[in-house]
Amino acid sequence: MADTATVVLKKGKDRAVRRRHPWIFSGAIARTEGTPESGDTVVVKDPDGQILGRGAYSPSSQIRVRMWTFDEKTPVDDALMHARLEEAVGLRRRLVLSHDTNCARLVFAEGDFLPGLVCDLYADTLVVQCQSAGAERWRDVVVSHLQKLTNAARVYERSDAEVRKLEGLPQRAGLLAGAAIDGLVAVKENGVSFLVDVEKGHKTGFYLDQRDSRARVRSLSSGQRVLNCFSYTGGFAVAALVGGAREAFSVDTSMSALELAERNVAQNGVDESKHTALKGDVFDVLRGMKDDGEIFDVIILDPPKFAPSAAHVDKAARGYKDLALRALSILSPGGVLVNFSCSGAIDREMFLRITQMAAAESGRSVRLLGHLGHPPDHPVPTSFPEGEYLKGLVSLAS
Ligand code: SAH
């Protein structure tokens, strides 16, 4: 893979790269020397010809180059991929994987200096998702290294994320190596068991990014009546019940997610009568519960991304505020609201402001107990704040 092509940046547009921001937008490029194809490695230079590093070229994306390295001398080759992957896997072994936790995000794209590449481990099953032209190009090399680094029994590909369309890449999913998957994969997270649908589930099957938040909910739930909104496969409800919740409700529009939530409750030896799965739109369910005089002690709001881009921020903000307000209207005195936004376009400060507005409108005294966010298998480079998409708040309503 010769990196013969060169991308020369416009004057002043080299600053972000020098600060190690990994993305080069098409508008920052003065000219391209050579004819790089999708996924090819290009040398990136400033207007004076100084080499700033090397990245993967993506001709159809606005993000035209994603940097593999900011070091002038480092070639982009098999050895670089191996070094990055070895470091990434080592970090998870050190910080996340244990006797009680056998699932983790092994590679978090830009967070592990491997832009566009996501690899998740679910027990002995590795799931790979290539979200960029560069990740796509190095897929086979990555898979081969990861198999050796993890001894996984199989590798499954879930390169069926929407973002691939922006890269001009087709949707693709299927087994890449090892034995076929036999149904759901059983994993452990902090000693709690979950069944994961690697083939058809959201993302690569499970919201690994909520591990620490589930642990927090577990610690808040003893004796409490808990409402888990946007439950997906019941992660927070199971955590609450394992933490001693008196009762837990999971609300989602997806029947298949709710069925798996019920199996996940049963998996953990919790009295199944303590869990109720409710199919419905959370906005309507919350309103109905208010009309019925239902009261909860802990309410979790973990909706899908309301703002896929900056253009959707206002509408998304109204959605997040409305949800928090509705939840506050059925929260007991001393109850805890745990609300999240996974919209990259809404930063932590804005999410806090949205929640403050809901609190003010509710007429209740609300105190912030803490912030939630990515666990350590989702590292965020200081040079790449965009990587911090998940923000959560824990609030106490008097
Ligand atoms: N909290 C979950 C992840 C939530 S993902 C976990 O930790 O695993 C978001 C979920 O919201 C999806 O399962 C989706 O089916 C559901 N959903 C999206 N819009 C909804 C709505 N308006 N009402 C209810 N559920 C909704």
Side-chain angles (χ1 to χ4, degrees):
M1 302 200 182
D3 48 16
T4 46
T6 298
V7 161
V8 182
L9 301 184
K10 289 180 185 162
K11 201 166 159 45
K13 295 293 185 186
D14 54 330
R15 275 201 295 271
V17 186
R18 286 189 196 284
R19 284 199 303 262
R20 296 187 167 241
H21 192 285
W23 292 351
I24 295 171
F25 288 90
S26 57
I29 297 173
R31 63 178 189 282
T32 301
E33 295 165 358
T35 49
E37 290 176 9
S38 178
D40 279 355
T41 299
V42 292
V43 175
V44 177
K45 291 184 178 169
D46 74 5
D48 300 327
Q50 193 189 344
I51 296 179
L52 300 173
R54 288 175 172 77
Y57 193 75
S58 185
S60 49
S61 173
Q62 284 300 309
I63 306 173
R64 195 56 47 88
V65 179
R66 286 177 167 79
M67 299 299 287
W68 288 123
T69 170
F70 298 95
D71 180 20
E72 188 184 334
K73 298 200 178 64
T74 305
V76 178
D77 57 10
D78 200 294
L80 179 71
M81 295 297 150
H82 185 265
R84 295 264 199 271
L85 293 167
E86 189 172 44
E87 194 202 343
V89 171
L91 188 69
R92 277 61 179 186
R93 289 214 170 102
R94 183 149 65 92
L95 299 178
V96 177
L97 295 167
S98 70
H99 177 67
D100 288 333
T101 301
N102 65 2
C103 52
R105 175 147 294 190
L106 294 185
V107 180
F108 182 45
E110 281 76 357
D112 287 291
F113 313 122
L114 291 166
L117 179 70
V118 166
C119 306
D120 290 339
L121 183 69
Y122 296 108
D124 60 357
T125 298
L126 204 55
V127 185
V128 173
Q129 184 168 81
C130 301
Q131 301 178 346
S132 67
E136 177 90 348
R137 168 64 62 92
W138 289 90
R139 182 192 70 167
D140 294 348
V141 170
V142 162
V143 166
S144 147
H145 287 318
L146 278 177
Q147 273 184 292
K148 288 186 201 115
L149 287 165
T150 63
N151 281 321
R154 64 184 61 79
V155 186
Y156 194 84
E157 179 170 30
R158 282 292 304 272
S159 292
D160 52 4
E162 279 291 306
V163 289
R164 280 174 64 93
K165 292 185 183 155
L166 301 176
E167 300 278 313
L169 300 170
Q171 304 286 296
R172 195 175 55 231
L175 191 70
L176 289 179
I181 295 177
D182 184 17
L184 304 171
V185 177
V187 299
K188 267 189 307 185
E189 177 190 270
N190 291 319
V192 183
S193 325
F194 289 103
L195 293 170
V196 177
D197 185 352
V198 159
E199 290 167 299
K200 292 274 173 309
H202 290 183
K203 308 223 271 184
T204 63
F206 194 58
Y207 286 83
L208 291 164
D209 54 1
Q210 291 288 29
R211 180 186 315 106
D212 287 358
S213 303
R214 281 188 284 267
R216 178 69 81 89
V217 164
R218 179 175 172 179
S219 75
L220 297 166
S221 294
S222 181
Q224 309 294 296
R225 189 167 195 244
V226 179
L227 179 60
N228 178 22
C229 298
F230 308 95
S231 67
Y232 187 47
T233 54
F236 285 109
V238 173
L241 289 164
V242 169
R246 183 166 91 240
E247 235 185 322
F249 291 72
S250 291
V251 185
D252 205 284
T253 44
S254 158
M255 201 58 223
S256 57
L258 289 170
E259 279 164 13
L260 197 45
E262 294 196 311
R263 289 182 67 182
N264 280 329
V265 170
Q267 283 268 315
N268 287 283
V270 180
D271 175 357
E272 289 168 55
S273 69
K274 290 184 174 172
H275 181 252
T276 306
L278 290 175
K279 184 178 181 316
D281 182 308
V282 166
F283 289 87
D284 300 336
V285 170
L286 289 176
R287 191 188 298 120
M289 284 179 157
K290 180 167 189 239
D291 294 343
D292 296 343
E294 297 274 0
I295 293 289
F296 293 89
D297 307 305
V298 177
I299 301 181
I300 298 117
L301 301 172
D302 184 24
K305 202 193 287 178
F306 283 167
S309 74
H312 300 83
V313 164
D314 289 346
K315 187 156 179 279
R318 283 196 295 278
Y320 290 122
K321 186 185 134 201
D322 190 25
L323 275 179
L325 191 55
R326 284 180 202 218
L328 285 167
S329 76
I330 57 166
L331 200 57
S332 62
V336 174
L337 173 67
V338 184
N339 60 338
F340 296 95
S341 162
C342 61
S343 301
I346 292 190
D347 66 14
R348 191 170 278 285
E349 202 181 318
M350 192 189 297
F351 190 55
L352 181 58
R353 270 208 316 276
I354 292 166
T355 307
Q356 282 165 343
M357 281 194 291
E361 219 167 287
S362 75
R364 301 181 67 170
S365 291
V366 176
R367 282 174 281 171
L368 194 60
L369 299 183
H371 287 264
L372 298 173
H374 298 184
D377 50 345
H378 293 65
V380 180
T382 52
S383 60
F384 185 63
E386 297 91 328
E388 193 195 1
Y389 62 92
L390 181 65
K391 304 101 200 170
L393 298 169
V394 186
S395 310
L396 179 75
S398 300

